[in-house]
């Protein structure tokens, strides 16, 4: 946790803290959300960075409770552009980055149903966020992350100052 402030230096400090954390282990979002429910103060800013592919309803419920308590909750859904457009041709092998699963598919045969399922998933995610007054921001992995976070953060700071 970084003590709250509303300055650009504070934003830079948060970016430096995030940059210093190496990725490791498995994600435990439910435990983290329960910890936030115990610790977050009413004017806290909560930022969830995830592809949300394996996030269950309990996570969204916890985030909704935090929002009801006055926290500013931002959900940054991070996805690779290829996950959104499925530009693959021929036989393609996909390797699970968080596990040891692999699957080989005929990309053209799968494209239409894959894109349909991704569209349904993204719409459902947006709806879950809207129902709980959570700010949902799609983030492509090829976008400059600091710029994305800055642009997503600034409306929050403006809203607080009104």
């Amino acid at each position: 946790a970084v003590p709250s402030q509303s300055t650009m230096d504070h934003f830079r400090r948060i970016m430096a803290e995030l940059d210093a954390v190496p990725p490791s282990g498995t994600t435990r979002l439910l435990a983290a959300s329960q910890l936030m429910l115990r610790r977050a103060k009413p004017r806290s800013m909560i930022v969830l960075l995830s592809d949300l592919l394996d996030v269950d309803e309990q996570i969204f419920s916890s985030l909704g409770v935090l929002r009801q308590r006055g926290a500013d909750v931002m959900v940054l859904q991070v996805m690779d552009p290829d996950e959104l457009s499925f530009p693959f041709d021929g036989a393609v092998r996909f390797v699970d980055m968080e596990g040891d699963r692999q699957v080989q598919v005929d990309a053209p045969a799968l494209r239409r149903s894959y894109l349909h399922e991704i569209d349904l998933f993204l719409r459902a995610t947006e709806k879950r966020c809207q129902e709980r007054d959570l700010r949902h921001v799609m983030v492509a992995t090829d976008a400059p992350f600091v710029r994305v976070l800055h642009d997503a953060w600034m409306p929050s700071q403006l809203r607080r100052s009104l």
Side-chain angles (χ1 to χ4, degrees):
V2 177
S4 63
Q5 294 178 346
S6 296
T7 66
M8 191 52 76
D9 285 339
H10 183 61
F11 175 76
R12 287 186 193 103
R13 181 175 170 204
I14 290 172
M15 292 298 97
E17 296 240 356
L18 286 173
D19 193 41
V21 178
S24 65
T26 59
T27 304
R28 297 188 324 260
L29 283 178
L30 184 56
S33 69
Q34 291 170 345
L35 179 64
M36 294 301 333
L37 283 171
R38 291 192 302 273
R39 289 190 178 176
K41 295 183 170 119
R43 292 184 49 102
S44 296
M45 173 172 262
I46 311 297
V47 180
L48 172 62
L49 297 147
S50 174
D51 59 15
L52 303 175
L53 291 171
D54 59 355
V55 172
D56 64 21
E57 193 61 33
Q58 279 187 291
I59 302 300
F60 284 98
S61 294
S62 295
L63 294 173
V65 169
L66 289 164
R67 181 69 188 117
Q68 288 174 346
R69 292 180 183 172
D72 186 3
V73 182
M74 186 182 331
V75 178
L76 300 179
Q77 186 171 12
V78 182
M79 295 187 77
D80 188 283
D82 288 351
E83 291 177 292
L84 300 171
S85 65
F86 205 77
F88 310 105
D89 283 316
V92 179
R93 181 187 327 228
F94 293 99
V95 179
D96 181 359
M97 300 289 288
E98 297 170 7
D100 58 358
R101 296 177 299 177
Q102 294 185 23
V103 62
Q104 186 164 331
V105 300
D106 176 17
L110 185 62
R111 181 174 289 111
R112 182 182 297 223
S113 62
Y114 173 85
L115 290 173
H116 176 72
E117 290 299 318
I118 282 292
D119 182 60
L120 291 176
F121 167 69
L122 294 174
R123 288 174 191 256
T125 300
E126 179 64 29
K127 183 179 179 197
R128 291 163 117 181
C129 290
Q130 286 177 350
E131 290 171 346
R132 293 163 179 87
D133 194 26
L134 311 175
R135 281 190 298 136
H136 177 246
V137 179
M138 283 298 302
V139 179
T141 56
D142 62 351
F145 182 71
V146 171
R147 178 41 118 198
V148 169
L149 191 53
H150 178 269
D151 291 348
W153 178 305
M154 293 321 287
S156 167
Q157 296 305 310
L158 292 173
R159 188 169 59 234
R160 284 187 178 181
S161 67
L162 297 176

